[in-house]
């Protein structure tokens, strides 16, 4: 679409450019975080311990937290003996995960990804309140809505439908409808 003189006065278009850059950055950080996490899982899996509960027909379960271990051992005759060993093993696995996460930059990437998505959210919230001054501005508002519905898998009653209402209000104001 060729920019018109009308477009040059539309604050929504400047916000749109900023939003596109922020979304691209958030998606790139998400992709990198997932790559690091997949690498870690492939190398040694998530931190977890197998709690054997075979007696009495109870199935064995994996515990990923100390609380999970406690729950899994309820009613076991040797719960106290096994608890310490299982928690120590889980702690050791968690420590290995944390060290590898730090070495590969997962913790940093998670923080950067979170900040990037917060930036997208803040710009999206602004888009609901920045008036479009051209038809192109309304088009980009609606494009933001569609892109985020696909990104977040939102229901029609959830976000981004408020932005659609804002775009409709802009259209009504521009057309006098």
């Amino acid at each position: 679409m060729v920019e018109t003189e009308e477009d040059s006065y539309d604050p929504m278009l400047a916000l749109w450019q900023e939003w596109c850059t922020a979304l691209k950055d958030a998606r790139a950080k998400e992709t990198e975080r997932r790559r690091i996490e997949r690498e870690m899982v492939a190398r040694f899996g998530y931190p977890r311990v197998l709690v054997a509960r075979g007696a009495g027909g109870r199935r064995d379960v994996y515990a990923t937290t100390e609380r999970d271990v406690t729950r899994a051992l309820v009613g076991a005759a040797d719960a106290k003996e096994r608890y310490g060993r299982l928690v120590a093993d889980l702690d050791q696995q968690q420590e290995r995960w944390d060290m590898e996460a730090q070495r590969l930059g997962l913790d940093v990437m998670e923080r950067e990804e979170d900040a990037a998505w917060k930036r997208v959210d803040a710009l999206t919230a602004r888009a609901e309140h920045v008036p479009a001054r051209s038809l192109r501005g309304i088009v980009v508002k609606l494009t933001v809505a569609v892109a985020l519905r696909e990104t977040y898998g939102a229901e029609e009653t959830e976000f981004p439908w408020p932005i659609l209402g804002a775009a409709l209000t802009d259209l009504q104001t521009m057309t006098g409808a």
Side-chain angles (χ1 to χ4, degrees):
M1 202 182 268
V2 177
E3 188 172 306
T4 66
E5 187 177 329
E6 182 182 56
D7 289 341
S8 66
Y9 298 106
D10 195 328
M12 188 59 211
L13 297 180
L15 180 61
W16 162 248
Q17 290 174 344
E18 193 176 351
W19 184 88
C20 285
T21 300
L23 182 64
K24 183 179 179 182
D25 182 52
R27 286 180 174 164
K29 290 183 184 322
E30 178 181 30
T31 298
E32 178 60 12
R33 189 247 328 139
R34 287 181 179 187
R35 183 198 63 75
I36 294 169
E37 207 168 57
R38 275 193 310 272
E39 179 182 332
M40 291 174 59
V41 169
R43 289 174 75 191
F44 45 80
Y46 289 107
R48 65 183 188 168
V49 292
L50 180 63
V51 181
R53 306 186 318 165
R58 296 172 69 196
R59 287 185 281 150
D60 298 346
V61 296
Y62 281 101
T64 59
T65 66
E66 193 172 333
R67 187 175 182 187
D68 291 345
V69 172
T70 301
R71 284 188 203 150
L73 290 173
V74 168
D78 59 348
K80 287 183 182 179
E81 298 166 11
R82 293 172 54 206
Y83 176 84
R85 194 171 357 107
L86 288 166
V87 169
D89 188 26
L90 184 59
D91 287 346
Q92 184 179 29
Q93 289 183 40
Q94 185 64 54
E95 185 177 322
R96 179 179 62 185
W97 177 273
D98 293 344
M99 286 174 37
E100 191 68 8
Q102 185 174 8
R103 186 183 75 75
L104 294 173
L106 179 62
D107 52 342
V108 171
M109 187 52 59
E110 286 173 337
R111 286 191 301 273
E112 288 179 9
E113 179 190 3
D114 184 56
W117 282 114
K118 284 179 180 175
R119 176 83 176 126
V120 170
D121 291 343
L123 291 168
T124 301
R126 276 184 44 206
E128 292 179 24
H129 304 287
V130 170
R133 302 277 187 233
S134 67
L135 290 177
R136 186 171 181 192
I138 293 170
V139 168
V140 299
K141 253 189 197 189
L142 295 173
T143 302
V144 167
V146 170
L148 288 178
R149 181 156 194 268
E150 292 168 2
T151 297
Y152 293 118
E155 296 294 323
E156 289 183 20
T157 57
E158 298 176 22
F159 175 82
W161 299 113
I163 197 170
L164 293 176
L168 178 59
T169 300
D170 292 339
L171 277 171
Q172 290 169 332
T173 300
M174 289 176 67
T175 62

